[in-house]
Amino acid sequence: MLISVVGLGYIGLPTAALLASRGMRVLGVDINPRVVETINKGLIHIVEADLDAIVYSTVGKGLLRAVTKPEPADVFVIAVPTPFHDGAPDISHVEQAARMVGPVLRAGNLVILESTSPVGTTEHLCSLLAELRPDLKFPLAGNGEADVCVAHCPERVLPGNVLREIVKNDRIIGGLTEQCTKRAIAFYQLFCEGECLPASVRMAELCKLAENAFRDINIAFANELSLICDRLGINVWELVRLANHHPRVNILQPGPGVGGHCIAVDPWFIVASAPEQARLIRTAREVNDSKPGVVLREIRAYANELKSNGALRPGIACLGLAFKADVDDIRESPALAISEEIARWGDCDVFVAEPHLKRLPDSLSGKNHVVMTSAPDAIARAEIVALLVNHRQFLQIERASLTNKKIVDTRGLWS
Ligand code: SAJ
């Protein structure tokens, strides 16, 4: 069996490598030639625990190969981005994947959409494929047995723990017809140790969105508590710790905001599809999106205080740019947004420490007052220390090095 994984990013590449490590022949497809070249050398372009070794060995054994244009295969797994732009979901990458895959489809194929998608996207994908291939029978309404099966099986893996969760997590599998669901379940059972739960295609789409909206709302609750605690002069980390001793309470951790390509995006798909009903989901998004501004106001107040005491250019250490601990992903990262805004002020020197990046992102580079350095050096050179990401490396920071610094600890590492 030849599996083609379309989109070799944070989900597609680990999936492709994992399948290859189980002895399946895998063809990875990505429109970016640099990504394809990197993978074919046995190297990786993202940070994910243990991914480097498994890509190296599967490419070396000839089980995993990357290309820029799809070739015929038995199963196509589509894992491309589905961002949210200007108040609307952008499914253009899914459409592009359909246009790429359509011409190489054959009778007997299975096409699975893993990208987190607004309700209705998988049906749309199927219609596009049907338009492209009138010679094949697709599982559209009342169409009977199909030549090509189409299903949605949303990825549910946690960045940083992807290779384990691809195997261990339960999967929701929504085929366009029962035939499609059965075929997709049989495919996932080849490598998935979790339960493969059948669903309708729209149920599978909304289920994934609901999972991420649930987490977003829970983080918003923690973030709102942090605002309340600031007002009341109470330590929010201690409050959460004590409250969580209740047997039915499990409050999440406040932070500088919610980032990443999933939780900061997916709830908007629900809001866009049912704006009148999704009131709590929208408010949670707004609460979480307001957090970077709160952190910035705190840092600005310290900078103003230092300036009024004679400092010409206060130094600010920004510890971490990634959207969360122990990953290199800066998509929708509140830490990055905060650092960018501080850089825009122009009247402070910015010392950025991000152990997972080799160089500053474009939005911060080329500015004389922004430098990338190690965390200890950033702290030594700054008067204000903003801890923005709780990376493992930052646990090693000597507490003594923080003496006499203005601390903005957004993750409760030192609180
Ligand atoms: N965060 C907090 N406080 C917390 C937990 C998280 O501020 O207590 C922040 C993080 O720092 C980060 C953001 O929330 O900025 C999201 O991080 P996360 O670890 O909660 O989630 P993701 O985005 O890495 O992965 C989520 C997962 N979804 C759920 O847990 C419901 C994952 O299972 C999904 O597969 C993934 O989204 C996805 O791809 O959709």
Side-chain angles (χ1 to χ4, degrees):
M1 180 154 67
L2 177 64
I3 321 284
S4 182
V5 178
V6 183
L8 295 173
Y10 287 91
I11 301 299
L13 182 56
T15 304
L18 188 278
L19 293 172
S21 76
R22 298 289 171 106
M24 291 177 234
R25 284 187 309 130
V26 181
L27 187 70
V29 184
D30 201 288
I31 51 170
N32 186 337
R34 270 195 304 174
V35 167
V36 167
E37 208 178 296
T38 305
I39 293 166
N40 284 333
K41 284 185 198 151
L43 304 173
I44 57 174
H45 62 291
I46 52 171
V47 170
E48 180 56 51
D50 304 326
L51 184 63
D52 48 357
I54 167 170
V55 168
Y56 183 78
S57 84
T58 51
V59 170
K61 285 182 193 152
L63 288 165
L64 173 62
R65 185 165 63 89
V67 289
T68 51
K69 288 198 174 70
E71 295 172 14
D74 298 296
V75 179
F76 292 86
V77 177
I78 300 175
V80 294
T82 45
F84 190 83
H85 292 310
D86 306 324
D90 172 5
I91 56 162
S92 58
H93 298 279
V94 176
E95 293 173 332
Q96 187 184 14
R99 282 193 292 273
M100 288 172 79
V101 163
V104 298
L105 285 179
R106 296 180 303 205
N109 278 168
L110 169 64
V111 178
I112 297 166
L113 178 64
E114 281 215 6
S115 313
T116 305
S117 299
V119 174
T121 307
T122 316
E123 287 153 315
H124 177 62
L125 165 71
C126 185
S127 306
L128 280 179
L129 294 174
E131 267 172 41
L132 285 163
R133 294 299 301 272
D135 55 317
L136 293 170
K137 221 158 120 195
F138 285 84
L140 297 163
N143 217 1
E145 278 284 289
D147 290 331
V148 176
C149 281
V150 180
H152 180 53
C153 178
E155 59 83 11
R156 292 170 126 183
V157 289
L158 194 71
N161 201 20
V162 170
L163 286 167
R164 187 182 174 279
E165 293 204 359
I166 287 178
V167 176
K168 297 283 176 194
N169 288 0
D170 294 345
R171 303 295 298 240
I172 309 296
I173 302 181
L176 256 72
T177 60
E178 221 170 285
Q179 177 202 8
C180 300
T181 306
K182 276 193 190 140
R183 287 232 18 227
I185 287 180
F187 169 67
Y188 280 97
Q189 280 172 340
L190 293 174
F191 60 93
C192 178
E193 290 172 17
E195 242 185 287
C196 291
L197 302 151
S200 71
V201 68
R202 286 175 166 246
M203 174 73 84
E205 287 166 337
L206 186 57
C207 186
K208 169 60 195 272
L209 301 180
E211 291 161 16
N212 278 358
F214 170 85
R215 189 150 172 90
D216 196 42
I217 288 170
N218 280 279
I219 300 169
F221 180 72
N223 279 335
E224 188 163 293
L225 277 181
S226 76
L227 304 179
I228 294 165
C229 283
D230 279 354
R231 189 173 168 84
L232 301 180
I234 287 171
N235 181 319
V236 69
W237 315 102
E238 183 65 356
L239 177 85
V240 170
R241 191 182 71 80
L242 293 173
N244 285 350
H245 275 270
H246 185 287
R248 284 173 297 284
V249 172
N250 186 13
I251 303 172
L252 295 180
Q253 299 296 304
V258 166
H261 192 52
C262 313
I263 296 194
V265 175
D266 303 346
W268 287 121
F269 293 175
I270 303 183
V271 176
S273 65
E276 306 255 307
Q277 291 74 22
R279 287 155 52 207
L280 180 62
I281 295 173
R282 179 202 300 271
T283 304
R285 276 285 66 245
E286 287 166 356
V287 169
N288 287 333
D289 277 352
S290 73
K291 268 310 286 277
V294 175
V295 175
L296 279 164
R297 281 194 288 281
E298 198 182 341
I299 297 171
R300 188 66 244 182
Y302 278 138
N304 290 347
E305 188 188 319
L306 287 160
K307 288 189 116 181
S308 64
N309 288 336
L312 290 177
R313 293 186 63 79
I316 303 174
C318 293
L319 304 188
L321 292 179
F323 85 93
K324 68 172 190 175
D326 307 325
V327 300
D328 71 329
D329 192 346
I330 53 169
R331 289 177 298 173
E332 321 288 334
S333 168
L336 177 65
I338 290 166
S339 306
E340 286 169 349
E341 182 58 24
I342 295 172
R344 268 193 291 273
W345 293 342
D347 65 341
C348 300
D349 290 322
V350 191
F351 305 102
V352 176
E354 176 43 78
H356 294 287
L357 296 182
K358 292 196 182 75
R359 62 188 81 86
L360 282 171
D362 291 347
S363 58
L364 287 172
S365 66
K367 296 176 173 64
N368 288 337
H369 65 295
V370 184
V371 294
M372 190 169 210
T373 182
S374 67
D377 185 58
I379 294 169
R381 293 164 76 179
E383 286 89 28
I384 303 169
V385 177
L387 188 280
L388 303 175
V389 187
N390 45 339
H391 285 315
R392 198 172 299 145
Q393 289 86 342
F394 298 156
L395 294 172
Q396 320 296 331
I397 291 169
E398 296 280 344
R399 294 297 283 267
S401 69
L402 301 172
T403 315
N404 297 329
K405 308 282 179 188
K406 310 275 187 205
I407 309 283
V408 179
D409 177 5
T410 70
R411 300 284 183 171
L413 203 68
W414 303 315
S415 303

